Structure formats: structure tokens, C-alpha cells
Amino acid sequence: MALSDHVSFAEIELEYGLYEPQVKALMRDRLKPSSYRAWRKRVRKFSDRRAHYK
């Protein structure tokens, strides 16, 4: 879910009980370093606008 640009951290928290820092730590552990950096860049870019896309 975290890789999707259409799912917010709030939705992940509701469904799985993981807070934003926990999701970031999980992604850091599971992704290659370059993939994690690309994901974080996308999250920073779209995090403020996610609610408007729905």
C-alpha cells in the first residue's frame, strides 16, 4: 500500500496500525537504497496533495 501514490499514511494506519515513522522504517528495510530514496521523494512531493486526488 505504501508504494501506491493514492494511499495516505492515515489509511495505512487505520488498516494496519502502523504510524508514518514505522512505515518509513519498514520501507527502508525492504527496499533497495535507491528505491527508498525515490519513494521518499515521491511521498514528499505528493503527500500534501493526496487528499485532493480522491
Side-chain angles (χ1 to χ4, degrees), residues 20-40:
E20 184 175 342
Q22 294 171 309
V23 173
K24 290 177 183 176
L26 180 67
M27 296 298 279
R28 188 180 307 115
D29 289 340
R30 302 291 172 127
L31 296 176
K32 294 185 292 184
S34 60
S35 298
Y36 176 76
R37 285 191 298 272
W39 174 74
R40 285 294 295 134

Side-chain angles (χ1 to χ4, degrees), residues 1-7 12 27 31 35 39 42 50:
M1 283 181 76
L3 284 174
S4 173
D5 290 337
H6 303 289
V7 179
I12 294 171
M27 296 298 279
L31 296 176
S35 298
W39 174 74
R42 272 197 354 260
R50 281 190 181 159

Side-chain angles (χ1 to χ4, degrees), residues 7 9-10 15 27 29 31 36 44 46-48 50-52:
V7 179
F9 286 117
E15 189 161 336
M27 296 298 279
D29 289 340
L31 296 176
Y36 176 76
R44 279 192 299 272
F46 290 108
S47 65
D48 296 335
R50 281 190 181 159
H52 302 291

